[in-house]
Amino acid sequence: MFARKVSMHLKADRTGDFIEKMENEVIPLLRLQQGFLDEITLISQSGKKVYAYSFWGNSADAEKYDKNVSAQVTSLLAGIIDGTLRIHTYMVANSTFHKMAAAIAS
């Protein structure tokens, strides 16, 4: 499994808009991408700092997304974020999410 961490700052009083944009536009777009597994978005209590983690089946799928779709997501968020996105990539060493998903499904 492979993960992309995107950190960003939101413009003042745009937390609600960001959440709505993620739920209605960004996550549906991610779900269409080959190898996409999950998205977890964390927002600081101040509502200014965001960490968005996307999980992919392998690094090739994440790189394909980065090359072909990432700019579209950045464009969707352009009026909400302040500054540039910072992107870091990781190999996932371990995870309990798959166990949680299996328990919910049963």
Side-chain angles (χ1 to χ4, degrees), residues 25-103:
E25 297 182 52
V26 175
I27 291 173
L29 184 59
L30 287 170
R31 286 184 174 138
L32 295 174
Q33 307 311 306
Q34 179 179 339
F36 173 75
L37 300 173
D38 198 10
E39 170 77 17
I40 298 173
T41 307
L42 309 173
I43 302 174
S44 66
Q45 289 183 345
S46 69
K48 294 179 183 179
K49 185 114 176 144
V50 174
Y51 295 101
Y53 295 86
S54 60
F55 296 90
W56 301 85
N58 58 58
S59 63
D61 290 334
E63 289 171 14
K64 184 177 176 183
Y65 161 79
D66 190 51
K67 180 180 177 184
N68 298 321
V69 183
S70 182
Q72 184 178 352
V73 171
T74 301
S75 179
L76 288 170
L77 300 174
I80 299 171
I81 60 171
D82 191 18
T84 58
L85 303 176
R86 292 196 171 99
I87 301 168
H88 300 277
T89 57
Y90 304 92
M91 179 184 72
V92 177
N94 55 57
S95 168
T96 61
F97 287 120
H98 65 283
K99 292 179 184 177
M100 185 178 5

